[in-house]
Each structure stands twice: as C-alpha cells, then as structure tokens.
Amino acid sequence: MNASILSLALVTVLGAGLSDSPRKPNPFAPSLPQLSDDEEDKLDQIIDRFILQDTGHLLGEEGKRARQDFDKLGPEAIPALIRGINRAAKIEHSCPAVVIARKLGRMLNASSDTELLDYARENIGAGVGRTRHQVVLKDLRVMCMLRKSEVMRGGATRTINPAGEWAPRSMSMKELTEAVQKERGAKLKDVVNELGRRKGEEVIAALGAAANSYEEDIQKLARTQLNKQLSALAPEVLKDKLQDDRAEVRAAAARVIGEKKMRLGNELIDLLTDEYDQVRDAAHQALVKMNRGADLGPAKDAGDTERKDAQKKWREWWLRQGGQ
C-alpha cells in the first residue's frame, strides 16, 4: 500500500469508527470515547507521518496530507498524542515535539476531566530519559496539575434539578463548561443550546471547546451558536478574536467578519497561513465574500509556498481596495 492510499485509509476508517453510536468511556479518561486497538494504531500512524513531515522526511503532496491529517485530530486522540510527544521528544529535531505539545496543551487546558489530567501528567515524558525537550514536557505536566486544581476548586457539575430532571438552564457557567467536557449526545446538545442563551467570554470559550467535538451534529450546532455570539460583539472586540488561542473561535471570527464585510482584510489574509485548516478555510471564504466571489486562492490542499503566494495576491488586491 503506497503512502497516499495509507493516508486516505487512516482518515476514512478512523472517521467512520468515531461516528458510530455511543462508545464506552475510556477507562483512563471518562470524557473520551474508548477506541479499539486498531483505531489507536491508526492514530499512532497519523502522528508518526506528521513527525516525518515536520522533520523534512515526507515531502510534497504526501507531506501536505500528513499535516492535514494531524491537524484534524480531536480530543479523542489525546492518549495517542501523549505517546507521540514521547516519541518526538527522543528526536533532536525541535519542531515535532513543540507542535504536538502546543496541540496537547490546548486540549488539556480545555478539559475538566480530572482523570484525563492525571493520566496525562503521569504519562507525558514517561520513558523518555534525557532530552532537549525536558522543559516542554515538564511545562505540560505542570499545566495538567494546575488545570486539575482549577477544576477541583470549581466543584462537580450539577446535571439534574431537585426534581431529578436534566436541567441545563439551572446550571452555573462553571457547570456548563464542565458538562461540555463530560456529556455526549442529546445532553451535550442541550448544554450547547443553553450556552447559546448566555453571554460573555466564558460562553465563547465553552462553545469553542464544544465545536471541537467528534460528534458532527454537536460540532455544527456549536459553530452556529459561536457565530451568533461573535456577531453580537463590538467590531474592536471581534477583531481581537482573530488572535484567540482557540482555533474554533478564530475561525468563527473570520466567518462573521466575512459576513459583515468588515474592513479587516490584512487580518484575514494573515490567517491564510494559520496552523489549523478550519481557520485557513474560514479566512479564505471570508476574503472571497469580500471580493464578491472572486477567488485568489489558495486551494484547499495548498502547501506553505502556495499559501504565501495567495497571501501576496490578496494583499495586492486589498491595497487596490484602499486597505492599509
């Protein structure tokens, strides 16, 4: 099986597996679904191919595909990412370990699953030995400890009212935020809908986390609610969201700015080289809308060079529109 077919097989089979009906919780992390050994192996292969791409050993179209597959990994891949960062930390090349650490850090810092945080703290760096990445690994372990303390101070999620009914409307923001990490299916949909009725930075953060769900209907609903939240923001606040540390929030901000045709061309053009494909795609579509449907690129599967070329074209266009 050649590399192209392998990449397609990995993504297709894994995606199909995760979309199946309700999974048992992971015994080490109740907020994550339990995957089969075969699915875990496929995740390991996706991460290993990313490491090859990031160290310059997998080039061209196969390299692009490897990076795209890695970017698509969601929270269910956290155990595999921990295994991956331990492998990458043994390599003298700096980039793969740092990129994986950044992705892991965002996911873990958004989690309220204390068992997952314990699991991560205990396993990040396990068996690695002496490495130039010791500080990166230590920072991740400390972050897990601090996040767990923060979650413990917040208390347990109250998912039912005194009458024994499921009642998201009676939950505090802390409880809703924790429910985003713990609930699945219809209950999670109720939580996302309730978040859509609230206002504030915590709501945006929680919806950003929900938009990363591996359940497609939840992901779509959370993105819709996130767009509504950001549409209500003042222009200067919305502009700041283009720099948010959550990819889903950056993408939503780009979509809203495109709908409103705000004069933020340079900021959108900057996002054409964002590390996450959903952010790049949202910025690209926003620019196309602002240009009345005329597309200056890049293509969806473009590499770094093509993206930079497209940025140059868009900047020239923006200057002709009087942009600064």
Side-chain angles (χ1 to χ4, degrees):
M1 181 182 292
N2 66 34
S4 178
I5 296 174
L6 174 61
S7 176
L8 179 60
L10 293 180
V11 177
T12 302
V13 175
L14 184 61
L18 291 181
S19 63
D20 288 338
S21 276
R23 301 293 192 101
K24 292 181 180 179
N26 187 306
F28 303 110
S31 66
L32 304 181
Q34 183 174 11
L35 305 183
S36 67
D37 290 344
D38 187 47
E39 287 168 333
E40 292 286 1
D41 287 343
K42 289 180 174 67
L43 289 172
D44 286 338
Q45 291 177 58
I46 288 172
I47 294 166
D48 284 344
R49 282 171 55 75
F50 158 71
I51 292 173
L52 288 173
Q53 182 270 333
D54 209 53
T55 54
H57 294 91
L58 192 61
L59 305 173
E61 291 301 320
E62 297 309 321
K64 294 177 193 175
R65 207 169 287 118
R67 181 57 188 252
Q68 290 167 355
D69 292 347
F70 174 81
D71 287 343
K72 291 175 184 175
L73 295 179
E76 68 280 350
I78 287 176
L81 287 166
I82 292 172
R83 296 191 297 270
I85 196 171
N86 289 345
R87 292 194 297 276
K90 297 176 183 179
I91 303 172
E92 283 306 301
H93 203 289
S94 63
C95 292
V98 173
V99 174
I100 296 172
R102 192 182 304 131
K103 188 178 185 78
L104 257 179
R106 279 192 291 264
M107 290 180 177
L108 293 170
N109 204 34
S111 177
S112 295
D113 184 343
T114 57
E115 292 181 52
L116 171 61
L117 294 167
D118 281 340
Y119 172 84
R121 183 173 56 82
E122 292 166 4
N123 286 277
I124 289 171
V128 171
R130 293 175 62 86
T131 171
R132 63 183 295 186
H133 302 296
Q134 207 64 54
V135 173
V136 172
L137 300 175
K138 180 181 177 182
D139 285 349
L140 273 175
R141 290 193 295 268
V142 170
M143 189 217 71
C144 289
M145 181 178 65
L146 294 175
R147 177 59 183 164
K148 180 183 176 182
S149 297
E150 181 183 2
V151 172
M152 297 295 286
R153 287 196 302 272
T157 301
R158 174 166 49 88
T159 59
I160 58 174
N161 63 17
E165 300 169 333
W166 172 246
R169 289 195 180 191
S170 68
M171 292 181 185
S172 67
M173 264 311 304
K174 285 184 179 180
E175 291 168 337
L176 287 170
T177 298
E178 188 170 346
V180 165
Q181 300 297 326
K182 289 187 174 181
E183 301 300 339
R184 293 291 180 267
K187 286 188 175 182
L188 180 53
K189 190 173 292 186
D190 289 343
V191 169
V192 172
N193 279 323
E194 177 57 27
L195 284 168
R197 300 184 185 100
R198 310 278 180 105
K199 301 293 180 186
E201 284 297 315
E202 289 179 301
V203 171
I204 292 172
L207 286 172
N212 274 317
S213 173
Y214 63 87
E215 298 178 68
E216 290 186 8
D217 56 337
I218 299 297
Q219 185 182 92
K220 183 177 179 180
L221 176 61
R223 286 179 176 177
T224 298
Q225 297 290 10
L226 194 53
N227 287 358
K228 289 179 181 177
Q229 290 283 331
L230 296 191
S231 292
L233 296 179
E236 63 273 14
V237 180
L238 180 57
K239 177 181 176 181
D240 288 343
K241 293 303 177 188
L242 292 173
Q243 303 298 321
D244 195 274
D245 59 359
R246 294 171 291 265
E248 287 291 349
V249 176
R250 296 197 300 279
R255 287 193 292 270
V256 172
I257 286 167
E259 291 291 340
K260 293 187 173 186
K261 293 183 170 60
M262 294 171 62
R263 298 285 295 174
L264 293 172
N266 277 324
E267 289 80 359
L268 290 172
I269 294 167
D270 288 341
L271 292 183
L272 294 177
T273 52
D274 191 276
E275 62 179 306
Y276 287 95
D277 56 358
Q278 68 264 43
V279 181
R280 297 194 298 267
D281 291 346
H284 179 205
Q285 292 307 315
L287 287 165
V288 171
K289 283 184 179 180
M290 292 169 67
N291 198 21
R292 299 180 180 180
D295 190 351
L296 303 182
K300 200 173 184 67
D301 60 350
D304 292 342
T305 300
E306 292 93 336
R307 289 184 197 132
K308 289 176 182 177
D309 287 344
Q311 278 184 317
K312 183 178 179 182
K313 293 177 185 177
W314 280 112
R315 292 198 197 283
E316 291 170 351
W317 164 80
W318 187 238
L319 282 173
R320 293 196 299 271
Q321 313 310 307
Q324 299 297 320

